[in-house]
Amino acid sequence: MGSVIGDLLPIAVGVAVSPVAVIATILMLLSKRAGSTSIGFAVGWLLGIFIATVLFVLLSSALSTSDDGPSTTASWIKLALGVLLLMVGVKQWRGRSGEHETPKWMHAIDEMTAVKGLGLGFALAAINPKNLLMCIAAGVSIGSASLATSGVIASVLVFTIIASSTVAIPVVGYVVAADRLREPLAKLKVWLQDNNTTVMSVLILVVGVVLIGKGIGGIF
């Protein structure tokens, strides 16, 4: 299981350091309904990562039944995902200097309820294409590793916890020390808004290269 966790770490960090999710969390923590909305968003984010990963663990396990071995099928999938992520990362990197319109849902955060926050968190985690590609990669890595059920559960939980940590930690910290966190969170929000595209493109490129390396290593 140790090698699987090692494979999951860069992917989990790629999901965790998602500027859009962190910015959304900070905006909610600075909104009128900071407590309830941010908790709802964190729960939705965690559930989205968990459900998407489990789904592709099951699909990967179902595909891994040929004599060719699960590693070959999984390696081709990782290679394809790595290439897709590289393409997305390069496209984002090239467009990083342009002006980007603020998403409409960000303007509506101040009026969001906990239920809407949960739905937004789930959508950004499980439906957002960049996140979904990384959840697929994690699911394939776990599902093709021939782990016992306990190992699969542990791997999914480790991935989910790490991937959701940058959303969960600020929310928990805000509950404990709201006043102290307002100023640092506001500064972090400004920095992330200014560097959103650059940070995300670099992360996607790194994860893409890692997946391509794993895929090539498993095929040849």
Side-chain angles (χ1 to χ4, degrees), residues 26 30 181-193:
I26 294 171
L30 299 175
L181 284 177
R182 281 186 179 275
E183 187 176 346
L185 286 173
K187 290 180 179 178
L188 178 59
K189 182 197 74 173
V190 173
W191 186 87
L192 285 171
Q193 286 175 327

Side-chain angles (χ1 to χ4, degrees), residues 15-24 106 192 195-197 199-200 203:
V15 176
V17 193
S18 172
V20 172
V22 178
I23 290 171
M106 283 192 177
L192 285 171
N195 298 277
N196 176 12
T197 305
V199 171
M200 200 64 217
L203 284 169

Side-chain angles (χ1 to χ4, degrees), residues 46-65:
L46 190 150
L47 284 175
I49 293 170
F50 179 80
I51 291 172
T53 304
V54 169
L55 175 62
F56 288 101
V57 167
L58 296 174
L59 288 174
S60 178
S61 298
L63 289 172
S64 301
T65 56

Side-chain angles (χ1 to χ4, degrees), residues 55-149:
L55 175 62
F56 288 101
V57 167
L58 296 174
L59 288 174
S60 178
S61 298
L63 289 172
S64 301
T65 56
S66 67
D67 294 334
D68 209 16
S71 59
T72 304
T73 303
S75 295
W76 279 110
I77 295 173
K78 288 177 186 177
L79 181 59
L81 290 172
V83 171
L84 283 172
L85 285 171
L86 272 185
M87 291 169 64
V88 172
V90 169
K91 183 179 179 181
Q92 279 204 323
W93 179 262
R94 287 179 174 175
R96 70 190 185 283
S97 58
E99 292 186 6
H100 299 279
E101 186 179 350
T102 303
K104 292 181 180 179
W105 57 262
M106 283 192 177
H107 293 297
I109 279 179
D110 204 42
E111 304 300 327
M112 275 191 182
T113 62
V115 174
K116 289 182 179 179
L118 188 149
L120 177 61
F122 185 89
L124 289 178
I127 302 173
N128 180 288
K130 300 163 195 171
N131 259 33
L132 183 59
L133 285 174
M134 287 189 268
C135 287
I136 292 172
V140 170
S141 294
I142 298 169
S144 63
S146 300
L147 297 173
T149 302

